[in-house]
Amino acid sequence: MSQTVTTPKKILVLGATSGIAQATCRIWAAQGASLFLVARSAEKLAAVAQDLQVRGAGFVDTAVADLDDTEQHPALLAHAINALGGMDIAYLAHGILGDQEEAEQEFNAAAQILYTNLLAPVSLLTWLANFCVQRRTGTLAVLSSVAGDRGRKSNYVYGSSKAGLSVFLQGLRNRVDREGVTVLTIKPGPVKTAMTAGMAKSSSFADPDQVAKSIVAAIAARRDVLYVPFLWLPIMFVIRHIPERIFKKLNL
Ligand SMILES: NC(=O)c1ccc[n+]([C@@H]2O[C@H](COP(=O)([O-])OP(=O)(O)OC[C@H]3O[C@@H](n4cnc5c(N)ncnc54)[C@H](OP(=O)(O)O)[C@@H]3O)[C@@H](O)[C@H]2O)c1
């Protein structure tokens, strides 16, 4: 079986200071890619941009933006693509875990998780998909999560934001595939990044560099869905098929 492997050229990264995004960008930088990085912390963003330049990126530019500010998305995206001189890949990596216990008590805490992880990406992807369809090319690669495959008491608010995102991406793929546009849904299991820093680590936590390698390969191969590490595909298959009358009794 032959795979199409193309070197990424012009890449827009939203949430570029994320641990997984940084690891992914390090690989792209070493390939000489042009990168436009968006993040909300100017200080962290400057450090990431400098590192990627040293690692061989052909071009690096940045914009500081809170991605919850959906009103700004059209201007931000147009500016970024103009600076890059086009766009081969948009990589959406921003997100929050939130506090499940707080979200069980406070609607605003739940709404924040849903806004950042679902509504803001929908705003970005609506603009980006239409841009790609007009040009009949481009890849939209988006970090969802295995947490969206089944609601669990320990993180169902975060999980529902990712479930909504995964279904949105599924429908978007069904719409734009015929227009020459690729949509990749990335479903990592737990990864060692700032997001999971407060959690008790187990051997099931993946290394961001390994996760990033799989993401770069999946984008190059124009895949639709990536479970990463791969073991999460059979694990989630089993979890999705546990009958609800049993599942509701489990402590997951
Ligand atoms: N780590 C895991 O176990 C895991 C598993 C499955 C899926 N994921 C998903 O993978 C993605 C990346 O997560 P990560 O593990 O790399 O975590 P991370 O290092 O905590 O990165 C999350 C990033 O999102 C940014 N962000 C949050 N809200 C934002 C906003 N309103 N505007 C702009 N940027 C914002 C954060 O910026 P600041 O640094 O400024 O806060 C941070 O750079 C997320 O979508 C996450 O849900 C992670």
Side-chain angles (χ1 to χ4, degrees):
M1 193 177 73
S2 74
Q3 286 188 334
T4 319
V5 180
T6 50
T7 304
K9 290 280 188 286
K10 295 171 180 174
I11 307 171
L12 168 58
V13 185
L14 297 144
T17 55
S18 113
I20 297 174
Q22 286 186 56
T24 316
C25 287
R26 286 196 288 271
I27 299 174
W28 283 327
Q31 295 174 348
S34 296
L35 300 164
F36 193 100
L37 313 172
V38 180
R40 63 181 170 182
S41 158
E43 202 181 330
K44 283 192 223 169
L45 184 58
V48 171
Q50 198 180 17
D51 177 61
L52 295 172
Q53 242 144 9
V54 171
R55 287 173 188 274
F59 166 88
V60 181
D61 198 354
T62 62
V64 176
D66 184 332
L67 293 171
D68 283 350
D69 190 354
T70 50
E71 297 261 304
Q72 300 300 323
H73 286 176
L76 172 71
L77 297 172
H79 168 74
I81 292 171
N82 191 39
L84 276 173
M87 186 192 79
D88 300 311
I89 299 165
Y91 183 40
L92 272 69
H94 80 285
I96 55 170
L97 186 60
D99 182 329
Q100 170 66 27
E101 284 180 22
E102 191 190 359
E104 286 169 16
Q105 306 302 326
E106 292 287 336
F107 167 68
N108 286 339
Q112 180 64 63
I113 296 169
L114 290 162
Y115 200 90
T116 301
N117 292 351
L118 177 58
L119 295 180
V122 165
S123 165
L124 293 165
L125 288 162
T126 299
W127 194 98
L128 288 165
N130 290 333
F131 174 85
C132 290
V133 164
Q134 262 184 9
R135 282 152 192 79
R136 300 190 67 79
T137 184
T139 294
L140 306 173
V142 185
L143 278 156
S144 186
S145 172
V146 294
D149 277 17
R150 190 145 192 188
R152 297 182 290 130
K153 72 172 190 167
S154 60
N155 72 350
Y156 65 82
V157 179
Y158 173 79
S160 59
S161 71
K162 294 299 191 180
L165 181 58
S166 293
V167 172
F168 181 86
L169 292 169
Q170 211 168 40
L172 183 65
R173 179 181 305 112
N174 186 219
R175 173 189 147 209
V176 302
D177 175 73
R178 67 202 68 190
E179 312 282 354
V181 181
T182 303
V183 176
L184 171 64
T185 307
I186 304 159
K187 296 186 177 185
V191 184
K192 290 177 208 145
T193 64
M195 185 170 279
T196 57
M199 296 179 186
K201 295 282 180 296
S202 80
S203 56
S204 65
F205 279 55
D207 175 66
D209 290 320
Q210 291 304 320
V211 169
K213 248 190 229 173
S214 301
I215 291 171
V216 169
I219 291 172
R222 303 181 66 132
R223 295 217 8 224
D224 298 320
V225 181
L226 173 71
Y227 282 86
V228 59
F230 178 75
L231 193 61
W232 285 96
L233 187 140
I235 293 173
M236 295 317 296
F237 180 85
V238 172
I239 289 184
R240 279 198 312 276
H241 287 86
I242 298 172
E244 195 62 23
R245 82 193 128 74
I246 296 169
F247 196 81
K248 70 182 179 186
K249 308 278 190 206
L250 301 178
N251 281 315
L252 292 168

